[in-house]
Amino acid sequence: MRRQQSLLVLIIVLLVGAVTVLTLVPLRLGLDLQGGAQLTIQVESTDEIEDLTPEEVISGVLSVVRNRVDALGVSEPLVQTLSDDKILVQLPGVSDPEQAERVLGGTAQLEFREQQAGTDEQLQAELLARRELQLEFEVLKAGGDDAALAQKQESLETSNEAIAALFAPPLLTGKNLKFADARNSAAGSDNWSVSLEFDGEGGEKFAELTKNLAGTGRSLGIFLDGKLISSPVVSVEFAETGITGGQAVINGRFTIDEANDLAVQLRGGSLPVPVKIVENRTVGATLGQDSIRRSVLAAAGGLILVLGFMVAYYRLPGAIADISLIIYALFTLAAYAILQVTLTLPGIAGFILSIGMAVDANVLIFERTREELRAGKTLYRSVESGFYRAFSSILDSNVTTLIACLALFWLGAGLVKGFALTLAIGVGVSMFTAIACSRTLLFLALQVSQLKKPELFCPDLPGSSQS
Amino acid sequence: MVLLKLNIIKQRPLWWSISGILAAIGAIAMAISLTTLGAPVAPSLDFVGGTRLQLELDCSIAGNCESPIELDTVREIMSDRGLDNRGIQVVGAAGRGLSIRTLDLDVDDRTQLLSDLEERIGQFDPQSTQIDTVGPTIGRELLASGLMALIFASAGIIIYLSVRFQLDYAICAIIALFHDVFITVGMFSIFGLTLGWEVDSLFIVALLTIIGFSVNDTVVIYDRIREILKLSTLDEANDSKPIGINEVVDTAVNQTLMRSINTTATTLLPLVGIFIFGGETLKYFALALIIGFILGAYSSIFIASSALAWWRERQESPVSATADSPIPDDRIIEAQLDRDE
C-alpha cells in the first residue's frame, strides 16, 4: 500500500507540473496550422564545385540564405540545414511567398567595391542611420506587428541602396575569392581578424583596388547581395603597389563571433553554387486555423465517445481508465511543450492515435481482469493478475509501434517526422499512465468498501450476487 | 459473457478465400492503374512533383463573390498559358473555391497565372490560399525514403518478434501485415481509378501506422497462444492429455476476441471523427487508417492465427513445448501476491 501512496503522490506532482507547463509554455504550432510558407532550398553542384559534402559549402550557403531571410523582414523565421545539399526555410505568417522565392533563389553576389571620393561624411551618416534602423527592426521583429515590420524593412532597403550608391561599380567579385577565415591577430589575444585569399586573377585585381584606395581614407566596400557587410580602409603603406600576393587581412578589433560571422558570409558569397527552391508549402493563416479547429473538434468528439464507451462497457475500471486517459492527455501535451515538439496536422493525428493505444492498454488489462474473475478468483487477485498478465501484451504491442515510429522518424521527412515523434511520445507516456495511473487509482478504489463489488467490474458474473 | 464463439480453424478455407479475393481485386486494380497511370496508386504531387493551388475568393470585397467560379473560364486561362487544364476543380459550397493541379510551376509562372486568374475571376483571399510546389527530384526522394521506412519497420518488427516469440510467429505476423498493407493499397488503387483520389506522403505514414497496429493486434493473440501452450505443457507434465495447436489457437482467439473488437472500435471512433469533420488533408489519411485497422483486426483474428496453426500442424504433431521466452508463470504470480497481500 505504501508503494501505491507514493505513486499517487508522484502522479499528483506530475499532474501539477504538467498543468503548470501547459499554462506557461505555449505549444509550438507548425506552419500548416498557424499559416506560413515553408521553402526547401536545394544547393546545386556546378563544374567548379562538384562536391557539396564539405561542411564549409553548406555553412557558407546557409549564411547567405540567412542574410537573405533577414532581409525579408519576417518575424521568427527558421533557417536550418536538412541534408548536405538542402536548406529548410520557414516563414511564419507569410501567405504570399512570391517575394521570398525571388530573394532566396539564385547565386550569392559578393562584390568588392571602391568608395567614391568625397562621400565620407555621407557614408558615416548613412551607416549610422542604418544601424538605428537595424535596432528598431530587431525590436519590431520580436513584437509581431507585421505591418510596421514590413515598413521598417522597406526603409532598411532604401538605406542599403543609398549606401551602395556611394560606391563605384564592382571591380572584383566573390568568384575570385578562394577562402576566408577568422584568425587570432596575436596568439591568445581577444583581438580577431579575418583573412582573405584570392586566386591569381583576384590577387591582381585586389592589388589594383587597394592601390587606388590606400591612404585616401576611402574604404573598400564588401557587399553581399547588395548589402554592405564590411568597409575596411587600406593603410597608406600599400599606396605604391596595393596589397599584392592575393592575401589580405581585415583588422578591426573583431570579437571571435564577429570575425567568424564575417568569414562565413565571405565564404558563402564566394561560392558559385546556384540555389533553387525545390519545394514550397504555403498555407494561408485562416486556412490553418480552420484545419486546427476541425482537427481539435474531431479529436474531442472521438475522445468523448471513447470515454463514454469505456464507462458503459467496463463500469468502474472504465471510469478509472477515463481519469487516467485525461491525465494521459495532459502529460502528453506537456511533454510536447517541454520537448518543443512542433505540432503539425499529422502530429495531431499521431496524438489522437496514441490515445487509441492508451485505451488499448486499459482494454487489455480489464478484459484480463474479467477473465480472472470468471475463473473464480477474488476481486483483488483478479485485478492484480489482470495487470500482471496483460503487461507482456502491452509491452510487445507498444514496442512494435515504437519500431515503426523509429523507422518513420529516422527515414521520413518533415510532416512524417512530426507524426512519428508525437506518436512515440504518446506511446511512451501511455505505458506509464495505463500501468501506473490506472493501477494506483484502481487499487485506491478497492480500499473503499462500497466499490469493492465484483459486479462493478464484470456485470454478468455467474454467482456475483452472493459475493 | 462470450457473445460468439469463432471456429477459426474449421472455417479456415472461408477466411482465406475472403482475403484471397480481396487481394486479387486489389492486384487487378493495381495492374490497371499501373498501365493507365504508370503507378499502382494514383500518386499526388508529393511523389511526382507539381504545383497545386488552392484558392478562395475574398468575400470581404464587395461584389467579389457574386457568382460562382466558372470552370470553363479557368480552363481557358490555363490553356492560354499553355498549361494542362485537366486538374481543375471548383470546390466549396458556393463555388468560391478553386483547386488547380498542374506541373511544377516556378515563381514567375505562378505569379503570372494568379494575376491572370484574378483579372478574370476576382480577388482571392491570401489568408485562405494554399500553395504546394514540389520539384520532381524531391518527389522521388520522398517516395524512396517512405519505402525505405516501410522496409526498415517491417524488418525491425520481424527481428523483435523473432526474439520475443519465435521465427514462425514472426513470419506469420508479417504475412498478416502484408495482407493488410496490400489490400489497403489495393482499395486506394480502386479509389484512384474510380474517384480520382491521390495518395500523398501521409499515405505512407498511414501504411506504417497500419503495420504497427496490425502487429499490435497479432501480438496480443500470439501472446495468448504462447501462454496456453506453456500451460498445456505444464499440464502434460502432470499426465493430462496434450491439446493440439488448432484447439490452442481457437481458444486463444476467442479469449482475446472482445479485446480485439473493443480496441479496434475505440481506435476507430476518433478516426471516424477525423474522417467526417477533419480537414481535406487528413480525410484520406483517416480513411486509409480506418480500412487498414479493420483489416488489421480481421487478419489478426482470422489469418495470422490460422496461418500459425497451419504452419505448426505441418511441422509437428502433436505439439510439444514451443514457447521458450519468459512468460508469466501462474505460480510465480500467486507467490508474489501472497507476499503482497
Side-chain angles (χ1 to χ4, degrees):
Chain A
M1 274 310 95
R2 205 179 305 133
R3 192 165 132 248
Q4 259 125 43
Q5 273 161 6
S6 49
L7 257 176
L8 187 67
V9 172
L10 174 72
I11 292 167
I12 291 171
V13 169
L14 283 175
L15 202 58
V16 172
V19 173
T20 321
V21 165
L22 283 175
T23 47
L24 293 180
V25 186
L27 283 168
R28 285 215 319 208
L29 296 181
L31 292 188
D32 55 347
L33 295 178
Q34 68 174 51
Q38 172 172 304
L39 307 171
T40 308
I41 296 173
Q42 170 136 25
V43 183
E44 297 185 323
S45 55
T46 60
D47 291 344
E48 287 155 82
I49 299 183
E50 282 170 17
D51 185 15
L52 297 171
T53 38
E55 219 268 318
E56 289 91 63
V57 177
I58 196 77
S59 69
V61 178
L62 194 67
S63 82
V64 171
V65 171
R66 280 231 167 84
N67 233 2
R68 292 177 184 179
V69 168
D70 279 345
L72 284 171
V74 174
S75 49
E76 293 176 47
L78 176 84
V79 182
Q80 67 184 49
T81 49
L82 280 182
S83 62
D84 282 345
D85 63 346
K86 282 191 202 69
I87 293 171
L88 180 78
V89 178
Q90 291 196 330
L91 307 168
V94 171
S95 53
D96 181 8
E98 187 198 335
Q99 190 205 3
E101 282 175 272
R102 287 189 199 286
V103 173
L104 293 176
T107 315
Q109 298 287 327
L110 179 70
E111 294 165 347
F112 295 86
R113 297 164 68 169
E114 222 175 280
Q115 190 189 342
Q116 281 165 346
T119 56
D120 262 2
E121 269 171 43
Q122 244 174 305
L123 181 62
Q124 290 313 320
E126 286 290 355
L127 282 177
L128 202 68
R130 188 177 77 166
R131 194 169 309 142
E132 261 169 37
L133 280 171
Q134 192 70 45
L135 283 175
E136 291 166 16
F137 183 68
E138 296 300 329
V139 173
L140 281 174
K141 236 177 169 178
D145 180 354
D146 288 342
L149 196 63
Q151 206 178 6
K152 195 58 65 185
Q153 170 55 27
E154 245 168 66
S155 335
L156 257 176
E157 202 68 38
T158 323
S159 163
N160 274 324
E161 278 165 26
I163 293 172
L166 305 177
F167 288 81
L171 203 68
L172 175 64
T173 65
K175 79 176 204 297
N176 294 117
L177 181 66
K178 267 168 69 185
F179 196 65
D181 203 6
R183 66 156 71 153
N184 208 330
S185 307
S189 81
D190 283 339
N191 203 352
W192 287 74
S193 53
V194 177
S195 68
L196 307 173
E197 193 183 330
F198 293 94
D199 61 5
E201 190 194 352
E204 282 165 33
K205 285 183 178 166
F206 191 68
E208 193 188 333
L209 200 60
T210 44
K211 194 172 112 187
N212 294 345
L213 292 172
T216 61
R218 289 184 292 140
S219 60
L220 170 67
I222 305 177
F223 288 83
L224 181 61
D225 290 329
K227 182 181 152 196
L228 185 69
I229 55 168
S230 178
S231 54
V233 287
V234 185
S235 56
V236 70
E237 67 206 75
F238 298 108
E240 289 286 309
T241 55
I243 300 175
T244 52
Q247 292 195 336
V249 175
I250 306 174
N251 292 312
R253 287 198 294 278
F254 292 114
T255 63
I256 177 163
D257 289 337
E258 287 166 352
N260 267 328
D261 280 351
L262 183 57
V264 169
Q265 283 184 324
L266 288 169
R267 279 208 298 269
S270 72
L271 291 171
V273 283
V275 294
K276 202 177 138 192
I277 291 164
V278 286
E279 192 181 358
N280 171 3
R281 306 265 184 190
T282 302
V283 176
T286 31
L287 205 61
Q289 278 152 17
D290 190 46
S291 55
I292 197 175
R293 198 177 46 80
R294 282 173 164 215
S295 300
V296 168
L297 207 72
L303 194 61
I304 289 167
L305 285 176
V306 169
L307 295 181
F309 171 83
M310 291 297 282
V311 177
Y313 193 87
Y314 290 108
R315 310 292 172 93
L316 176 67
I320 285 169
D322 283 357
I323 298 172
S324 52
L325 272 182
I326 292 166
I327 296 176
Y328 162 80
L330 287 172
F331 280 2
T332 309
L333 290 174
Y336 294 162
I338 291 171
L339 296 173
Q340 295 280 292
V341 177
T342 307
L343 265 190
T344 56
L345 218 44
I348 290 185
F351 173 61
I352 295 174
L353 213 54
S354 72
I355 294 177
M357 313 282 288
V359 173
D360 181 42
N362 285 301
V363 168
L364 274 169
I365 294 165
F366 301 153
E367 283 293 338
R368 206 63 210 236
T369 306
R370 284 189 175 188
E371 272 177 50
E372 303 290 328
L373 274 172
R374 286 195 201 104
K377 288 196 183 172
T378 64
L379 185 57
Y380 189 88
R381 192 169 287 185
S382 296
V383 172
E384 180 71 62
S385 177
F387 276 96
Y388 188 85
R389 292 195 159 187
F391 182 74
S392 84
S393 293
I394 296 173
L395 180 74
D396 283 338
S397 58
N398 282 342
V399 170
T400 45
T401 308
L402 283 176
I403 290 173
C405 286
L406 212 65
L408 276 175
F409 188 76
W410 183 34
L411 294 159
L415 295 179
V416 177
K417 265 200 164 76
F419 171 82
L421 192 61
T422 52
L423 184 57
I425 292 173
V427 168
V429 176
S430 81
M431 289 275 281
F432 173 74
T433 51
I435 293 165
C437 288
S438 298
R439 192 187 150 99
T440 308
L441 294 173
L442 204 52
F443 279 113
L444 271 176
L446 283 179
Q447 312 274 304
V448 184
S449 54
Q450 286 96 324
L451 297 176
K452 215 171 168 180
K453 290 175 184 149
E455 59 266 30
L456 288 174
F457 288 75
C458 185
D460 54 355
L461 194 66
S464 65
S465 49
Q466 285 114 42
S467 58
Chain B
M1 188 187 62
V2 180
L3 291 175
L4 62 168
K5 176 128 172 74
L6 291 171
N7 204 336
I8 307 296
I9 304 301
K10 223 184 206 169
Q11 294 157 335
R12 182 159 58 196
L14 172 68
W15 311 124
W16 287 20
S17 329
I18 292 175
S19 291
I21 292 167
L22 286 176
I25 293 172
I28 294 168
M30 283 187 240
I32 296 173
S33 178
L34 200 62
T35 48
T36 52
L37 304 168
V41 276
S44 81
L45 76 174
D46 278 7
F47 301 126
V48 290
T51 293
R52 182 178 49 220
L53 300 170
Q54 278 172 270
L55 309 161
E56 209 170 299
L57 287 175
D58 188 350
C59 293
S60 60
I61 301 170
N64 200 30
C65 291
E66 299 289 271
S67 53
I69 297 171
E70 299 263 355
L71 201 56
D72 287 337
T73 321
V74 184
R75 287 220 169 105
E76 207 176 292
I77 297 168
M78 295 287 284
S79 315
D80 286 351
R81 301 212 53 79
L83 295 168
D84 179 17
N85 64 11
R86 280 170 299 178
I88 307 167
Q89 275 180 300
V90 172
V91 291
R96 287 169 191 149
L98 184 61
S99 166
I100 296 175
R101 158 94 190 263
T102 173
L103 51 89
D104 145 38
L105 296 178
D106 67 15
V107 56
D108 293 321
D109 288 337
R110 193 186 71 225
T111 316
Q112 191 62 49
L113 175 65
L114 277 176
S115 66
D116 284 3
L117 286 170
E118 293 205 315
E119 201 174 299
R120 294 278 296 273
I121 296 167
Q123 283 304 118
F124 294 115
D125 178 7
Q127 296 297 311
S128 309
T129 301
Q130 183 169 353
I131 303 168
D132 292 276
T133 292
V134 179
T137 43
I138 284 269
R140 276 198 295 276
E141 281 168 30
L142 264 176
L143 184 61
S145 70
L147 291 178
M148 285 294 278
L150 275 177
I151 293 167
F152 273 83
S154 309
I157 289 167
I158 291 186
I159 294 169
Y160 180 75
L161 290 186
S162 305
V163 171
R164 283 284 294 173
F165 293 84
Q166 274 178 330
L167 186 63
D168 53 355
Y169 283 85
I171 291 171
C172 292
I174 292 292
I175 292 172
L177 179 163
F178 274 116
H179 162 273
D180 307 337
V181 170
F182 190 83
I183 296 176
T184 308
V185 174
M187 295 287 258
F188 271 82
S189 179
I190 297 172
F191 294 148
L193 289 170
T194 54
L195 303 167
W197 293 357
E198 295 173 340
V199 304
D200 52 17
S201 45
L202 281 181
F203 186 66
I204 298 221
V205 177
L207 291 183
L208 274 151
T209 318
I210 290 168
I211 288 183
F213 232 79
S214 159
V215 174
N216 216 346
D217 272 353
T218 309
V219 161
V220 171
I221 295 176
Y222 280 3
D223 201 59
R224 190 55 73 96
I225 294 176
R226 183 173 63 178
E227 189 182 320
I228 297 174
L229 277 175
K230 176 82 180 188
L231 290 176
S232 86
T233 50
L234 286 175
D235 287 347
E236 233 172 289
N238 298 337
D239 291 333
S240 305
K241 67 175 173 73
I243 42 172
I245 182 73
N246 288 346
E247 206 180 314
V248 171
V249 168
D250 264 350
T251 314
V253 167
N254 280 299
Q255 282 181 349
T256 51
L257 194 60
M258 277 329 284
R259 174 266 159 194
S260 301
I261 294 171
N262 287 349
T263 295
T264 310
T266 48
T267 316
L268 288 181
L269 283 176
L271 287 174
V272 171
I274 298 179
F275 180 65
I276 297 170
F277 302 111
E280 200 69 12
T281 349
L282 284 184
K283 227 186 170 86
Y284 303 125
F285 176 68
L287 183 64
L289 289 181
I290 291 170
I291 294 173
F293 286 180
I294 293 173
L295 283 167
Y298 171 82
S299 74
S300 304
I301 297 170
F302 298 108
I303 305 298
S305 51
S306 63
L308 183 71
W310 177 78
W311 181 279
R312 291 256 156 145
E313 215 174 17
R314 282 172 45 113
Q315 296 288 310
E316 47 187 323
S317 52
V319 221
S320 57
T322 35
D324 52 9
S325 323
I327 59 142
D329 186 310
D330 208 30
R331 279 170 297 188
I332 299 171
I333 307 171
E334 303 291 321
Q336 283 180 340
L337 281 174
D338 291 337
R339 245 180 289 132
D340 228 39
E341 272 172 331

